[in-house]
Amino acid sequence: MSAQKYSLSGRPRPTGSRVDLYVWRAVRITSIALFVLALAHFSITHFVYEVGDQSAEWVRQTRWNSIPLRVLDWGMLMAVLVHGFLGMRTVMQDYVPSRIRQASLIGLYAIALLLFVLGTQVIATLPMR
Amino acid sequence: MTQGSSPLASPQKLRNYPSYRGGEGMVAWAFHRISGIGVWAFIVLHVVDIWLIGVNPALYDQLGNIYSSAPGRVMETLLGAALFYHALNGMRIVVMDFWPALTIYHRGLWRAVWVTFFIFGLPGAYIILKPIWEMAA
């Protein structure tokens, strides 16, 4: 292997490709946002409220009965998509054989686009009360 | 060069798999990758199930019943563990990436990750799993 892929902390800051450097930065910046947003989301949905009480009607009337909360959740969705799918890009670059890597990455990005559309649609269009 | 794994095209070169070579760093990296893939898989499911609130709320409620069942709570506890470990170890990575001088403390930081994980994770797991015993009683 000609170049070091990982350090004691993680993947070293890329030096060869500008795209890889942007990906490296984006994964780390979104990780800081998600440390707060994702852990708060998990805590709210499991420790503040009971999982069994969170029906579709509850989400509509309580959790998403405010535009700021919807905007916050949409922001979390964006951070999750950037962090999760760029992270999976790294995993696939490491393990997927080169002959199918490009097609696999296109499939990965297509799933990310689909989730962006589905998530944005439900947050933007679900009626309040 | 951070592109993937041209050496992996040859299975006999498994030694070239990108990995650490032992120690806490290797285990931290493996756990980080496994937990990240697990959380990613749940996120795909979760965005789709939230989308169902708009198009098929009855089906969403049925899924909610699965999440709150005993097996669902065990799965959610594992999800929470994966998410919490990934988040804590991710902050360890960010700290060392942006302040490389702290890399000399990587073992201590990893131990701090586990101490924090168990201090907050065990009570959290108890809260999620408690209704299983209450349902059985």
Side-chain angles (χ1 to χ4, degrees):
Chain A
M1 196 156 52
S2 60
Q4 182 190 24
K5 286 180 183 291
Y6 296 95
S7 68
L8 284 168
S9 60
R11 182 169 290 244
R13 184 193 302 265
T15 54
S17 158
R18 182 163 291 199
V19 171
D20 282 339
L21 180 60
Y22 290 151
V23 167
W24 186 90
R25 280 189 183 143
V27 168
R28 278 147 184 80
I29 291 168
T30 51
S31 76
I32 296 168
L34 286 171
F35 186 82
V36 177
L37 292 172
L39 291 181
H41 177 75
F42 189 89
S43 299
I44 289 168
T45 53
H46 291 83
F47 307 138
V48 177
Y49 295 100
E50 162 58 33
V51 173
D53 296 338
Q54 296 169 43
S55 64
E57 192 61 19
W58 178 88
V59 173
R60 194 171 69 80
Q61 290 197 2
T62 305
R63 177 155 178 88
W64 279 354
N65 188 32
S66 129
I67 290 176
L69 279 179
R70 290 193 188 212
V71 170
L72 190 66
D73 274 357
W74 187 80
M76 180 171 62
L77 174 67
M78 295 303 104
V80 161
L81 292 180
V82 169
H83 187 87
F85 280 83
L86 291 182
M88 282 302 290
R89 170 185 180 268
T90 298
V91 171
M92 292 175 72
Q93 285 179 335
D94 281 345
Y95 299 124
V96 174
S98 57
R99 61 191 159 79
I100 58 168
R101 189 179 304 144
Q102 193 62 29
S104 302
L105 287 172
I106 290 171
L108 181 75
Y109 300 147
I111 295 172
L113 181 63
L114 176 68
L115 297 187
F116 169 80
V117 171
L118 297 183
T120 302
Q121 183 204 344
V122 69
I123 289 174
T125 64
L126 191 71
M128 291 189 187
R129 286 198 188 275
Chain B
M1 186 195 77
T2 59
Q3 286 297 315
S5 47
S6 54
L8 301 186
S10 303
Q12 70 272 23
K13 293 187 177 177
L14 282 177
R15 67 178 184 278
N16 287 332
Y17 250 65
S19 66
Y20 294 108
R21 294 291 182 262
E24 291 88 344
M26 182 190 74
V27 181
W29 170 84
F31 280 9
H32 195 78
R33 181 155 282 199
I34 293 165
S35 62
I37 294 170
V39 172
W40 175 85
F42 176 76
I43 296 257
V44 173
L45 169 68
H46 191 40
V47 175
V48 173
D49 74 44
I50 291 294
W51 175 72
L52 287 175
I53 294 174
V55 297
N56 192 340
L59 182 56
Y60 174 83
D61 288 345
Q62 285 180 18
L63 272 175
N65 291 337
I66 295 173
Y67 289 157
S68 58
S69 68
R73 287 178 185 278
V74 172
M75 294 300 290
E76 294 209 23
T77 304
L78 293 174
L79 167 70
L83 178 69
F84 197 33
Y85 174 80
H86 196 83
L88 291 171
N89 191 60
M91 286 303 100
R92 168 182 166 273
I93 291 171
V94 167
V95 162
M96 290 191 290
D97 278 346
F98 289 111
W99 293 278
L102 292 175
T103 303
I104 59 170
Y105 301 113
H106 78 98
R107 285 191 184 86
L109 288 169
W110 198 53
R111 287 178 194 131
V113 163
W114 282 111
V115 169
T116 310
F117 178 85
F118 283 113
I119 287 176
F120 291 97
L122 288 177
Y126 174 75
I127 292 171
I128 296 172
L129 294 173
K130 187 175 65 167
I132 295 178
W133 291 284
E134 291 175 348
M135 283 186 280

